[in-house]
């Protein structure tokens, strides 16, 4: 498999620390979900940002291949659950809007994008991912 890109992020302090890239172009203070601190984020928000951006790019590729010109938005909701078997797990809900495309066609495009998106591939059979087309 040909590698197209690689990056790294460093964490210190776990959920009460920071994440940053070696060149410091990416830097955030992190905290646990539910704790409100100015200028902080949490791993679930970072995952939601990454998954929504990746999925929307996959959707744009699928729409381009189908010769559909439309603007789409993807809202990712990432939930943190207590795992009855111990520890924690996450789940994802992706809400997709494609104005000007009828719902049946939008659902078909979303299903195809789910097959293309690297984040969808990485999470498949690992976490619950719910896809919803909204107006």
């Amino acid at each position: 498999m040909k590698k197209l890109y690689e990056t790294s992020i460093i964490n210190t302090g776990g959920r009460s620390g920071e994440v940053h890239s070696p060149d410091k172009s990416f830097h955030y203070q992190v905290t646990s979900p539910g704790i409100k601190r100015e200028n902080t984020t949490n791993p679930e928000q970072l995952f939601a940002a990454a998954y929504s951006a990746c999925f929307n790019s996959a959707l744009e590729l699928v729409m381009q291949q189908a010769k559909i010109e439309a603007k789409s938005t993807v809202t990712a909701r990432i939930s943190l659950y207590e795992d009855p078997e111990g520890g924690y797990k996450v789940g994802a809900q992706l809400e997709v809007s494609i104005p000007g495309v009828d719902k049946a066609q939008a659902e078909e495009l979303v299903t195809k994008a789910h097959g293309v998106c690297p984040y969808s591939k990485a999470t498949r059979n690992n976490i619950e991912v719910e896809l919803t087309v909204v107006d």
Side-chain angles (χ1 to χ4, degrees):
M1 186 167 23
K2 180 182 173 185
K3 185 186 295 187
L4 300 175
Y5 177 74
E6 180 179 278
T7 190
S8 62
I9 298 294
I10 302 161
N11 171 269
T12 57
R15 287 182 177 264
S16 298
E18 69 170 29
V19 289
H20 67 272
S21 59
D23 67 0
K24 304 289 186 194
S25 63
F26 178 96
H27 182 267
Y28 288 96
Q29 297 296 314
V30 292
T31 190
S32 293
I35 296 175
K36 302 285 185 192
R37 275 197 207 121
E38 193 172 320
N39 299 317
T40 63
T41 189
N42 60 59
E44 291 73 25
Q45 287 177 321
L46 294 170
F47 184 44
Y51 200 173
S52 64
C54 186
F55 193 90
N56 207 9
S57 289
L59 181 58
E60 288 174 349
L61 174 66
V62 168
M63 288 191 302
Q64 179 185 20
Q65 290 170 342
K67 299 186 180 355
I68 295 171
E69 292 186 30
K71 294 288 184 188
S72 55
T73 58
V74 176
T75 301
R77 298 184 198 291
I78 303 299
S79 300
L80 181 64
Y81 298 100
E82 189 175 309
D83 188 343
E85 297 177 16
Y88 304 91
K89 61 184 182 179
V90 296
Q93 295 173 298
L94 301 180
E95 293 180 357
V96 181
S97 174
I98 312 172
V101 175
D102 71 71
K103 190 167 185 170
Q105 186 176 31
E107 288 172 345
E108 182 180 321
L109 293 166
V110 166
T111 298
K112 285 182 181 177
H114 194 46
V116 171
C117 174
Y119 276 70
S120 290
K121 289 178 181 182
T123 60
R124 190 164 290 120
N125 300 320
N126 293 312
I127 70 169
E128 187 176 320
V129 176
E130 180 183 323
L131 304 172
T132 307
V133 172
V134 296
D135 294 330

PDB file of all heavy atoms in Angstrom, residues 74-100:
ATOM      1  N   VAL A  74     -21.657  18.061   6.942  1.00  0.00           N
ATOM      2  CA  VAL A  74     -21.685  16.867   7.778  1.00  0.00           C
ATOM      3  C   VAL A  74     -21.491  17.299   9.219  1.00  0.00           C
ATOM      4  O   VAL A  74     -20.516  17.974   9.551  1.00  0.00           O
ATOM      5  CB  VAL A  74     -20.586  15.860   7.376  1.00  0.00           C
ATOM      6  CG1 VAL A  74     -20.573  14.667   8.323  1.00  0.00           C
ATOM      7  CG2 VAL A  74     -20.779  15.402   5.932  1.00  0.00           C
ATOM      8  N   THR A  75     -22.437  16.930  10.055  1.00  0.00           N
ATOM      9  CA  THR A  75     -22.323  17.163  11.497  1.00  0.00           C
ATOM     10  C   THR A  75     -22.039  15.821  12.144  1.00  0.00           C
ATOM     11  O   THR A  75     -22.829  14.883  12.007  1.00  0.00           O
ATOM     12  CB  THR A  75     -23.635  17.740  12.062  1.00  0.00           C
ATOM     13  OG1 THR A  75     -23.924  18.974  11.398  1.00  0.00           O
ATOM     14  CG2 THR A  75     -23.528  17.975  13.563  1.00  0.00           C
ATOM     15  N   ALA A  76     -20.912  15.728  12.813  1.00  0.00           N
ATOM     16  CA  ALA A  76     -20.551  14.484  13.507  1.00  0.00           C
ATOM     17  C   ALA A  76     -20.838  14.655  14.991  1.00  0.00           C
ATOM     18  O   ALA A  76     -20.419  15.637  15.608  1.00  0.00           O
ATOM     19  CB  ALA A  76     -19.074  14.160  13.297  1.00  0.00           C
ATOM     20  N   ARG A  77     -21.567  13.716  15.550  1.00  0.00           N
ATOM     21  CA  ARG A  77     -21.828  13.677  16.981  1.00  0.00           C
ATOM     22  C   ARG A  77     -21.118  12.433  17.512  1.00  0.00           C
ATOM     23  O   ARG A  77     -21.459  11.316  17.135  1.00  0.00           O
ATOM     24  CB  ARG A  77     -23.317  13.582  17.264  1.00  0.00           C
ATOM     25  CG  ARG A  77     -24.109  14.757  16.761  1.00  0.00           C
ATOM     26  CD  ARG A  77     -25.579  14.650  17.170  1.00  0.00           C
ATOM     27  NE  ARG A  77     -26.424  15.506  16.383  1.00  0.00           N
ATOM     28  CZ  ARG A  77     -26.433  16.840  16.423  1.00  0.00           C
ATOM     29  NH1 ARG A  77     -25.618  17.470  17.226  1.00  0.00           N
ATOM     30  NH2 ARG A  77     -27.257  17.534  15.662  1.00  0.00           N
ATOM     31  N   ILE A  78     -20.158  12.656  18.359  1.00  0.00           N
ATOM     32  CA  ILE A  78     -19.397  11.560  18.954  1.00  0.00           C
ATOM     33  C   ILE A  78     -19.814  11.451  20.416  1.00  0.00           C
ATOM     34  O   ILE A  78     -19.790  12.431  21.153  1.00  0.00           O
ATOM     35  CB  ILE A  78     -17.878  11.796  18.850  1.00  0.00           C
ATOM     36  CG1 ILE A  78     -17.459  11.988  17.382  1.00  0.00           C
ATOM     37  CG2 ILE A  78     -17.105  10.663  19.517  1.00  0.00           C
ATOM     38  CD1 ILE A  78     -17.731  10.799  16.475  1.00  0.00           C
ATOM     39  N   SER A  79     -20.219  10.256  20.802  1.00  0.00           N
ATOM     40  CA  SER A  79     -20.659  10.010  22.183  1.00  0.00           C
ATOM     41  C   SER A  79     -19.653   9.107  22.880  1.00  0.00           C
ATOM     42  O   SER A  79     -19.081   8.202  22.274  1.00  0.00           O
ATOM     43  CB  SER A  79     -22.028   9.333  22.199  1.00  0.00           C
ATOM     44  OG  SER A  79     -22.994  10.152  21.559  1.00  0.00           O
ATOM     45  N   LEU A  80     -19.466   9.356  24.153  1.00  0.00           N
ATOM     46  CA  LEU A  80     -18.616   8.523  25.001  1.00  0.00           C
ATOM     47  C   LEU A  80     -19.541   7.709  25.895  1.00  0.00           C
ATOM     48  O   LEU A  80     -20.417   8.263  26.562  1.00  0.00           O
ATOM     49  CB  LEU A  80     -17.691   9.399  25.847  1.00  0.00           C
ATOM     50  CG  LEU A  80     -16.726   8.680  26.781  1.00  0.00           C
ATOM     51  CD1 LEU A  80     -15.726   7.839  25.995  1.00  0.00           C
ATOM     52  CD2 LEU A  80     -15.992   9.707  27.650  1.00  0.00           C
ATOM     53  N   TYR A  81     -19.374   6.397  25.870  1.00  0.00           N
ATOM     54  CA  TYR A  81     -20.221   5.492  26.634  1.00  0.00           C
ATOM     55  C   TYR A  81     -19.391   4.708  27.640  1.00  0.00           C
ATOM     56  O   TYR A  81     -18.226   4.400  27.388  1.00  0.00           O
ATOM     57  CB  TYR A  81     -20.911   4.463  25.716  1.00  0.00           C
ATOM     58  CG  TYR A  81     -21.830   5.056  24.690  1.00  0.00           C
ATOM     59  CD1 TYR A  81     -21.417   5.214  23.375  1.00  0.00           C
ATOM     60  CD2 TYR A  81     -23.118   5.440  25.027  1.00  0.00           C
ATOM     61  CE1 TYR A  81     -22.264   5.748  22.418  1.00  0.00           C
ATOM     62  CE2 TYR A  81     -23.981   5.965  24.077  1.00  0.00           C
ATOM     63  CZ  TYR A  81     -23.539   6.125  22.775  1.00  0.00           C
ATOM     64  OH  TYR A  81     -24.389   6.654  21.838  1.00  0.00           O
ATOM     65  N   GLU A  82     -20.024   4.366  28.735  1.00  0.00           N
ATOM     66  CA  GLU A  82     -19.418   3.428  29.660  1.00  0.00           C
ATOM     67  C   GLU A  82     -19.592   2.034  29.060  1.00  0.00           C
ATOM     68  O   GLU A  82     -20.681   1.672  28.616  1.00  0.00           O
ATOM     69  CB  GLU A  82     -20.137   3.511  31.013  1.00  0.00           C
ATOM     70  CG  GLU A  82     -19.462   2.747  32.108  1.00  0.00           C
ATOM     71  CD  GLU A  82     -20.141   2.966  33.438  1.00  0.00           C
ATOM     72  OE1 GLU A  82     -20.350   4.139  33.818  1.00  0.00           O
ATOM     73  OE2 GLU A  82     -20.468   1.959  34.080  1.00  0.00           O
ATOM     74  N   ASP A  83     -18.521   1.269  28.993  1.00  0.00           N
ATOM     75  CA  ASP A  83     -18.574  -0.077  28.427  1.00  0.00           C
ATOM     76  C   ASP A  83     -18.891  -1.064  29.535  1.00  0.00           C
ATOM     77  O   ASP A  83     -18.150  -1.151  30.516  1.00  0.00           O
ATOM     78  CB  ASP A  83     -17.232  -0.420  27.780  1.00  0.00           C
ATOM     79  CG  ASP A  83     -17.268  -1.712  26.998  1.00  0.00           C
ATOM     80  OD1 ASP A  83     -18.196  -2.526  27.182  1.00  0.00           O
ATOM     81  OD2 ASP A  83     -16.344  -1.916  26.190  1.00  0.00           O
ATOM     82  N   PRO A  84     -20.001  -1.809  29.436  1.00  0.00           N
ATOM     83  CA  PRO A  84     -20.365  -2.759  30.480  1.00  0.00           C
ATOM     84  C   PRO A  84     -19.286  -3.832  30.711  1.00  0.00           C
ATOM     85  O   PRO A  84     -19.222  -4.434  31.765  1.00  0.00           O
ATOM     86  CB  PRO A  84     -21.667  -3.400  29.999  1.00  0.00           C
ATOM     87  CG  PRO A  84     -21.974  -2.837  28.678  1.00  0.00           C
ATOM     88  CD  PRO A  84     -20.964  -1.795  28.337  1.00  0.00           C
ATOM     89  N   GLU A  85     -18.430  -4.033  29.705  1.00  0.00           N
ATOM     90  CA  GLU A  85     -17.352  -5.009  29.849  1.00  0.00           C
ATOM     91  C   GLU A  85     -16.102  -4.390  30.458  1.00  0.00           C
ATOM     92  O   GLU A  85     -15.079  -5.051  30.605  1.00  0.00           O
ATOM     93  CB  GLU A  85     -17.038  -5.625  28.485  1.00  0.00           C
ATOM     94  CG  GLU A  85     -18.209  -6.397  27.907  1.00  0.00           C
ATOM     95  CD  GLU A  85     -17.931  -6.939  26.518  1.00  0.00           C
ATOM     96  OE1 GLU A  85     -16.759  -6.999  26.100  1.00  0.00           O
ATOM     97  OE2 GLU A  85     -18.907  -7.312  25.850  1.00  0.00           O
ATOM     98  N   GLY A  86     -16.173  -3.113  30.791  1.00  0.00           N
ATOM     99  CA  GLY A  86     -15.048  -2.411  31.401  1.00  0.00           C
ATOM    100  C   GLY A  86     -14.542  -1.288  30.517  1.00  0.00           C
ATOM    101  O   GLY A  86     -14.524  -1.410  29.300  1.00  0.00           O
ATOM    102  N   GLY A  87     -14.172  -0.208  31.120  1.00  0.00           N
ATOM    103  CA  GLY A  87     -13.654   0.939  30.376  1.00  0.00           C
ATOM    104  C   GLY A  87     -14.750   1.726  29.693  1.00  0.00           C
ATOM    105  O   GLY A  87     -15.874   1.826  30.190  1.00  0.00           O
ATOM    106  N   TYR A  88     -14.411   2.263  28.532  1.00  0.00           N
ATOM    107  CA  TYR A  88     -15.311   3.144  27.798  1.00  0.00           C
ATOM    108  C   TYR A  88     -15.277   2.796  26.320  1.00  0.00           C
ATOM    109  O   TYR A  88     -14.388   2.092  25.856  1.00  0.00           O
ATOM    110  CB  TYR A  88     -14.879   4.610  27.974  1.00  0.00           C
ATOM    111  CG  TYR A  88     -14.809   5.005  29.426  1.00  0.00           C
ATOM    112  CD1 TYR A  88     -13.627   4.868  30.142  1.00  0.00           C
ATOM    113  CD2 TYR A  88     -15.929   5.483  30.087  1.00  0.00           C
ATOM    114  CE1 TYR A  88     -13.563   5.208  31.484  1.00  0.00           C
ATOM    115  CE2 TYR A  88     -15.880   5.829  31.426  1.00  0.00           C
ATOM    116  CZ  TYR A  88     -14.688   5.689  32.119  1.00  0.00           C
ATOM    117  OH  TYR A  88     -14.631   6.011  33.437  1.00  0.00           O
ATOM    118  N   LYS A  89     -16.256   3.302  25.589  1.00  0.00           N
ATOM    119  CA  LYS A  89     -16.263   3.172  24.137  1.00  0.00           C
ATOM    120  C   LYS A  89     -16.956   4.388  23.542  1.00  0.00           C
ATOM    121  O   LYS A  89     -17.636   5.138  24.254  1.00  0.00           O
ATOM    122  CB  LYS A  89     -16.909   1.878  23.681  1.00  0.00           C
ATOM    123  CG  LYS A  89     -18.362   1.691  24.082  1.00  0.00           C
ATOM    124  CD  LYS A  89     -18.848   0.324  23.637  1.00  0.00           C
ATOM    125  CE  LYS A  89     -20.302   0.126  23.981  1.00  0.00           C
ATOM    126  NZ  LYS A  89     -20.781  -1.180  23.532  1.00  0.00           N
ATOM    127  N   VAL A  90     -16.773   4.577  22.251  1.00  0.00           N
ATOM    128  CA  VAL A  90     -17.387   5.712  21.567  1.00  0.00           C
ATOM    129  C   VAL A  90     -18.373   5.224  20.512  1.00  0.00           C
ATOM    130  O   VAL A  90     -18.303   4.076  20.060  1.00  0.00           O
ATOM    131  CB  VAL A  90     -16.342   6.648  20.903  1.00  0.00           C
ATOM    132  CG1 VAL A  90     -15.445   7.294  21.930  1.00  0.00           C
ATOM    133  CG2 VAL A  90     -15.529   5.918  19.863  1.00  0.00           C
ATOM    134  N   GLY A  91     -19.261   6.107  20.141  1.00  0.00           N
ATOM    135  CA  GLY A  91     -20.200   5.881  19.058  1.00  0.00           C
ATOM    136  C   GLY A  91     -20.279   7.152  18.235  1.00  0.00           C
ATOM    137  O   GLY A  91     -19.953   8.236  18.727  1.00  0.00           O
ATOM    138  N   ALA A  92     -20.703   7.027  16.981  1.00  0.00           N
ATOM    139  CA  ALA A  92     -20.754   8.182  16.092  1.00  0.00           C
ATOM    140  C   ALA A  92     -22.097   8.265  15.386  1.00  0.00           C
ATOM    141  O   ALA A  92     -22.669   7.249  14.986  1.00  0.00           O
ATOM    142  CB  ALA A  92     -19.635   8.100  15.058  1.00  0.00           C
ATOM    143  N   GLN A  93     -22.573   9.488  15.255  1.00  0.00           N
ATOM    144  CA  GLN A  93     -23.749   9.787  14.441  1.00  0.00           C
ATOM    145  C   GLN A  93     -23.319  10.858  13.447  1.00  0.00           C
ATOM    146  O   GLN A  93     -22.785  11.897  13.848  1.00  0.00           O
ATOM    147  CB  GLN A  93     -24.889  10.334  15.288  1.00  0.00           C
ATOM    148  CG  GLN A  93     -25.443   9.356  16.297  1.00  0.00           C
ATOM    149  CD  GLN A  93     -26.454  10.048  17.190  1.00  0.00           C
ATOM    150  OE1 GLN A  93     -26.124  10.984  17.917  1.00  0.00           O
ATOM    151  NE2 GLN A  93     -27.699   9.597  17.118  1.00  0.00           N
ATOM    152  N   LEU A  94     -23.531  10.584  12.170  1.00  0.00           N
ATOM    153  CA  LEU A  94     -23.216  11.565  11.144  1.00  0.00           C
ATOM    154  C   LEU A  94     -24.516  12.033  10.519  1.00  0.00           C
ATOM    155  O   LEU A  94     -25.289  11.227  10.002  1.00  0.00           O
ATOM    156  CB  LEU A  94     -22.315  10.958  10.064  1.00  0.00           C
ATOM    157  CG  LEU A  94     -20.977  10.398  10.526  1.00  0.00           C
ATOM    158  CD1 LEU A  94     -20.202   9.834   9.337  1.00  0.00           C
ATOM    159  CD2 LEU A  94     -20.160  11.439  11.252  1.00  0.00           C
ATOM    160  N   GLU A  95     -24.779  13.332  10.615  1.00  0.00           N
ATOM    161  CA  GLU A  95     -25.956  13.943  10.005  1.00  0.00           C
ATOM    162  C   GLU A  95     -25.490  14.693   8.765  1.00  0.00           C
ATOM    163  O   GLU A  95     -24.643  15.574   8.852  1.00  0.00           O
ATOM    164  CB  GLU A  95     -26.635  14.905  10.975  1.00  0.00           C
ATOM    165  CG  GLU A  95     -27.252  14.214  12.158  1.00  0.00           C
ATOM    166  CD  GLU A  95     -27.933  15.191  13.111  1.00  0.00           C
ATOM    167  OE1 GLU A  95     -27.874  16.418  12.887  1.00  0.00           O
ATOM    168  OE2 GLU A  95     -28.514  14.710  14.084  1.00  0.00           O
ATOM    169  N   VAL A  96     -26.045  14.317   7.619  1.00  0.00           N
ATOM    170  CA  VAL A  96     -25.588  14.851   6.349  1.00  0.00           C
ATOM    171  C   VAL A  96     -26.711  15.631   5.677  1.00  0.00           C
ATOM    172  O   VAL A  96     -27.842  15.158   5.592  1.00  0.00           O
ATOM    173  CB  VAL A  96     -25.121  13.712   5.415  1.00  0.00           C
ATOM    174  CG1 VAL A  96     -24.610  14.271   4.100  1.00  0.00           C
ATOM    175  CG2 VAL A  96     -24.051  12.861   6.105  1.00  0.00           C
ATOM    176  N   SER A  97     -26.367  16.811   5.191  1.00  0.00           N
ATOM    177  CA  SER A  97     -27.312  17.651   4.455  1.00  0.00           C
ATOM    178  C   SER A  97     -26.719  17.942   3.083  1.00  0.00           C
ATOM    179  O   SER A  97     -25.554  18.350   2.982  1.00  0.00           O
ATOM    180  CB  SER A  97     -27.555  18.956   5.214  1.00  0.00           C
ATOM    181  OG  SER A  97     -28.360  19.834   4.442  1.00  0.00           O
ATOM    182  N   ILE A  98     -27.529  17.689   2.044  1.00  0.00           N
ATOM    183  CA  ILE A  98     -27.128  18.020   0.675  1.00  0.00           C
ATOM    184  C   ILE A  98     -28.288  18.773   0.032  1.00  0.00           C
ATOM    185  O   ILE A  98     -29.144  18.175  -0.642  1.00  0.00           O
ATOM    186  CB  ILE A  98     -26.779  16.759  -0.151  1.00  0.00           C
ATOM    187  CG1 ILE A  98     -25.845  15.814   0.620  1.00  0.00           C
ATOM    188  CG2 ILE A  98     -26.132  17.175  -1.479  1.00  0.00           C
ATOM    189  CD1 ILE A  98     -25.619  14.474  -0.069  1.00  0.00           C
ATOM    190  N   PRO A  99     -28.381  20.080   0.252  1.00  0.00           N
ATOM    191  CA  PRO A  99     -29.478  20.859  -0.315  1.00  0.00           C
ATOM    192  C   PRO A  99     -29.541  20.714  -1.837  1.00  0.00           C
ATOM    193  O   PRO A  99     -28.513  20.697  -2.518  1.00  0.00           O
ATOM    194  CB  PRO A  99     -29.142  22.297   0.086  1.00  0.00           C
ATOM    195  CG  PRO A  99     -28.268  22.154   1.293  1.00  0.00           C
ATOM    196  CD  PRO A  99     -27.473  20.904   1.060  1.00  0.00           C
ATOM    197  N   GLY A 100     -30.769  20.567  -2.342  1.00  0.00           N
ATOM    198  CA  GLY A 100     -30.979  20.450  -3.779  1.00  0.00           C
ATOM    199  C   GLY A 100     -30.913  19.029  -4.301  1.00  0.00           C
ATOM    200  O   GLY A 100     -31.129  18.795  -5.487  1.00  0.00           O
TER     201      GLY A 100
END
